[in-house]
Amino acid sequence: MRNIPTTKQLRNKYDSDGVLESIEISFKQNLEKLRSSLNHKDSPLLKYNRDLQISLLDSNEKKNKQIIDDVAATLKDTVYFMTLSKKDRTAVTQNMRFYHTDLVKNQLARIKLLLDDSEIGSPKHGHDPTPKHKGMTQVFHILGMVKRDLELENDHWGHLSRSGYLTGFQISMGDFFIMLKGIGMTQKDQITLVQRLFDDFEVDWDEGDRENIKVSLQQPALENYETTQRDMRQLSSTFFSKSLSEDLIDDLVEHARIMKKRLRRF
């Protein structure tokens, strides 16, 4: 049997926890700078409002603070990437994608090894009858569904385009652009907001990409967002079963959703 690294061993190999910790630290250190950029007197964000369930008696300042905080919360990963050079952004994205690709492949390989032996927990014994192992039957049924989900995820990672220095932004800014769209922000104002944000953080990127934010950032970010949302919606069919309880199915779907959301951060 070939040696398949555990998930913990893969985390140590790629130092994925170190990257996640760096993201948290960067966000805390740069949160006020981010708020200041979003709250600049010329910021187009201040022209918009949304149903925040805030009393009409509350001040505009409170309403602005709420929407700024909400938008800032969508930019946690983006802030980290904004502080890195083009070279470092590319390296981080590639490293995390290698980690996630290996993680999915290894977990898939482990499950296949188990499913290859249908007699686990209930080996045949000559001609003696062996009663059906209801517990292991359920385990194999669950593993079969997890296997299908991992195969779909493995296919996703196998068809990704090559990582570049903008990939981190194109993945992390989906929620940001969706929120701006949700408050009715115009295309022009969205571009203006991003330009100021990137200028304030002195982002390292090419002039050509700066001049065409819609193509270099917005469209890819929204496409990646929709792809992930589509795959999330398909989880219910992947884990459909008439033999398992509704609570168990819901739990399987929820854990698959959490895993997919975490994997698709990079």
Side-chain angles (χ1 to χ4, degrees):
M1 182 183 297
R2 68 187 180 90
N3 180 35
I4 303 175
T6 65
T7 303
K8 182 177 181 180
Q9 288 173 329
L10 288 177
R11 283 203 307 272
N12 291 335
K13 175 182 178 180
Y14 292 105
D15 191 27
S16 58
D17 288 345
V19 173
L20 297 177
E21 180 64 20
S22 295
I23 290 174
E24 294 294 332
I25 293 173
S26 175
F27 188 66
K28 290 178 182 178
Q29 291 177 339
N30 291 284
L31 182 55
E32 288 309 312
K33 182 177 181 179
L34 175 61
R35 285 174 173 156
S36 177
S37 179
L38 296 173
N39 196 34
H40 187 271
K41 62 182 180 66
D42 296 326
S43 172
L45 190 58
L46 304 183
K47 299 190 298 182
Y48 296 86
N49 207 336
R50 51 196 283 250
D51 183 12
L52 298 171
Q53 297 182 338
I54 295 178
S55 170
L56 294 176
L57 299 178
D58 287 329
S59 65
N60 285 331
E61 181 179 353
K62 184 173 182 179
K63 294 178 182 179
N64 289 341
K65 182 179 184 303
Q66 182 65 58
I67 195 170
I68 287 167
D69 286 346
D70 288 346
V71 171
T74 69
L75 293 169
K76 176 179 286 189
D77 292 357
T78 304
V79 167
Y80 172 66
F81 284 118
M82 286 195 295
T83 64
L84 301 179
S85 66
K86 290 189 291 186
K87 180 180 179 181
D88 288 342
R89 285 203 303 272
T90 303
V92 168
T93 301
Q94 290 177 339
N95 180 71
M96 293 301 285
R97 286 192 167 187
F98 284 142
Y99 164 57
H100 290 152
T101 299
D102 283 354
L103 183 152
V104 171
K105 287 182 177 179
N106 284 13
Q107 291 197 357
L108 187 56
R110 286 180 178 277
I111 289 178
K112 285 181 177 179
L113 284 174
L114 288 172
L115 292 177
D116 282 344
D117 188 352
S118 61
E119 296 183 31
I120 292 178
S122 184
K124 293 181 179 180
H125 189 71
H127 295 291
D128 292 347
T130 302
K132 184 177 182 180
H133 196 313
K134 295 181 180 179
M136 288 306 299
T137 297
Q138 187 176 63
V139 168
F140 273 78
H141 187 41
I142 292 172
L143 288 176
M145 291 188 291
V146 174
K147 173 176 170 285
R148 287 199 299 272
D149 183 47
L150 287 173
E151 286 173 337
L152 292 173
E153 195 65 19
N154 189 49
D155 184 67
H156 165 79
W157 288 101
H159 287 85
L160 288 179
S161 57
R162 185 176 179 179
S163 301
Y165 76 89
L166 289 179
T167 304
F169 296 131
Q170 294 166 347
I171 297 295
S172 67
M173 296 183 76
D175 286 332
F176 169 75
F177 284 117
I178 287 294
M179 180 171 287
L180 298 187
K181 182 179 179 181
I183 63 176
M185 184 175 287
T186 65
Q187 177 72 24
K188 180 181 178 181
D189 283 347
Q190 290 185 44
I191 300 304
T192 299
L193 186 64
V194 173
Q195 285 176 328
R196 176 162 196 94
L197 189 62
F198 277 39
D199 285 345
D200 287 346
F201 276 83
E202 299 180 344
V203 173
D204 180 15
W205 62 333
D206 291 340
E207 188 65 29
D209 297 317
R210 181 190 299 268
E211 294 299 322
N212 201 348
I213 291 175
K214 179 179 179 180
V215 174
S216 64
L217 295 180
Q218 186 187 52
Q219 288 180 348
L222 291 174
E223 288 171 2
N224 287 320
Y225 175 89
E226 182 50 42
T227 296
T228 297
Q229 293 304 307
R230 181 201 65 205
D231 292 347
M232 293 279 199
R233 291 191 294 268
Q234 292 177 349
L235 286 174
S236 295
S237 59
T238 301
F239 287 91
F240 175 77
S241 173
K242 293 183 178 180
S243 62
L244 300 178
S245 70
E246 185 176 337
D247 286 344
L248 182 53
I249 291 296
D250 288 344
D251 187 63
L252 289 169
V253 170
E254 179 60 20
H255 280 281
R257 181 177 289 111
I258 291 172
M259 180 174 175
K260 199 175 297 293
K261 185 176 181 180
R262 289 173 175 174
L263 292 177
R264 303 287 181 92
R265 279 181 71 176
F266 296 92

